[in-house]
Amino acid sequence: MPFKELDLSFFSENVFKIIGSDWMLITAEKNGRVNTMTASWGGLGVMWNKNVAFTVIRPQRYTKEFVDGAEKFSLSFLGASFKKELAYLGRVSGRDVNKIAEAGLTVGRDGFVPYFREADKVLICRKMYVQEMESGCFLDKDAEKTWYPDKDYHYLYISEIIKAMIK
């Protein structure tokens, strides 16, 4: 089933469910290679009068190199029926294996931006801002102790959603 472009004013998904429960894939291309990672943290909102996605990536994740090397990336939402594949893509590094092929997913493209054809919804994002989280900025020190015992703080990306597609 082909995708059609969706006006974001009609995007009525529960972001707590599609990101926090169902998960999403952050996907980018670098030097002709595509890599992806599963994410269950992030958000959608408005910043600088633009519709944006907030994504976070730890420094050791291979996908970070791809997102950093590209102007744009995608967020693919495959839904709960793909939980096994999403868990695999979050657990295995693309440095070691062709995890996209192993998961049985098919890469589609919107221009030069890769996404997954199996997705129900896809957001094409253009990076606007990136910053490493810092210890001194944590007001909730319990969150820092719980989630960053190795001090491997996420990088926060704020990206304009330039296109939304739905099946």
Side-chain angles (χ1 to χ4, degrees):
M1 174 183 283
F3 284 93
K4 65 179 181 177
E5 193 164 349
L6 174 70
D7 181 330
L8 274 174
S9 62
F10 295 104
F11 190 84
S12 62
E13 299 295 323
N14 176 338
V15 296
F16 302 105
K17 181 180 182 316
I18 66 170
I19 296 173
S21 298
D22 294 345
W23 308 339
M24 64 182 170
L25 292 173
I26 301 173
T27 310
E29 182 170 347
K30 177 183 159 191
N31 299 329
R33 295 187 60 209
V34 174
N35 198 55
T36 192
M37 64 174 268
T38 302
S40 63
W41 290 1
L44 304 176
V46 178
M47 186 77 178
W48 305 310
N49 291 331
K50 296 183 183 291
N51 295 319
V52 298
F54 301 93
T55 51
V56 291
I57 304 175
R58 288 194 195 261
Q60 63 267 38
R61 294 302 300 258
Y62 188 44
T63 303
K64 185 177 182 313
E65 294 176 27
F66 288 74
V67 171
D68 287 345
E71 176 190 3
K72 300 172 187 169
F73 63 93
S74 69
L75 301 177
S76 295
F77 301 90
L78 283 75
S81 65
F82 284 90
K83 201 67 152 193
K84 182 177 132 192
E85 292 84 353
L86 291 167
Y88 173 78
L89 292 167
R91 184 177 62 247
V92 174
S93 175
R95 284 185 184 102
D96 305 323
V97 298
N98 183 344
K99 67 182 188 173
I100 294 170
E102 293 288 323
L105 297 183
T106 311
V107 175
R109 293 190 183 283
D110 184 72
F112 294 103
V113 183
Y115 66 87
F116 292 101
R117 291 187 180 150
E118 291 80 5
D120 297 323
K121 293 163 279 305
V122 175
L123 300 177
I124 305 297
C125 302
R126 181 185 62 84
K127 295 181 306 185
M128 298 172 58
Y129 179 86
V130 62
Q131 181 176 357
E132 184 178 14
M133 293 181 174
E134 299 176 3
S135 178
C137 294
F138 277 88
L139 303 177
D140 182 342
K141 294 298 181 183
D142 288 337
E144 181 182 16
K145 279 191 275 187
T146 299
W147 299 108
Y148 303 99
D150 298 326
K151 307 295 184 207
D152 58 340
Y153 300 104
H154 282 97
Y155 281 74
L156 167 67
Y157 295 82
I158 301 173
S159 304
E160 179 182 11
I161 301 169
I162 58 172
K163 188 176 200 178
M165 302 184 303
I166 191 165
K167 280 193 177 163

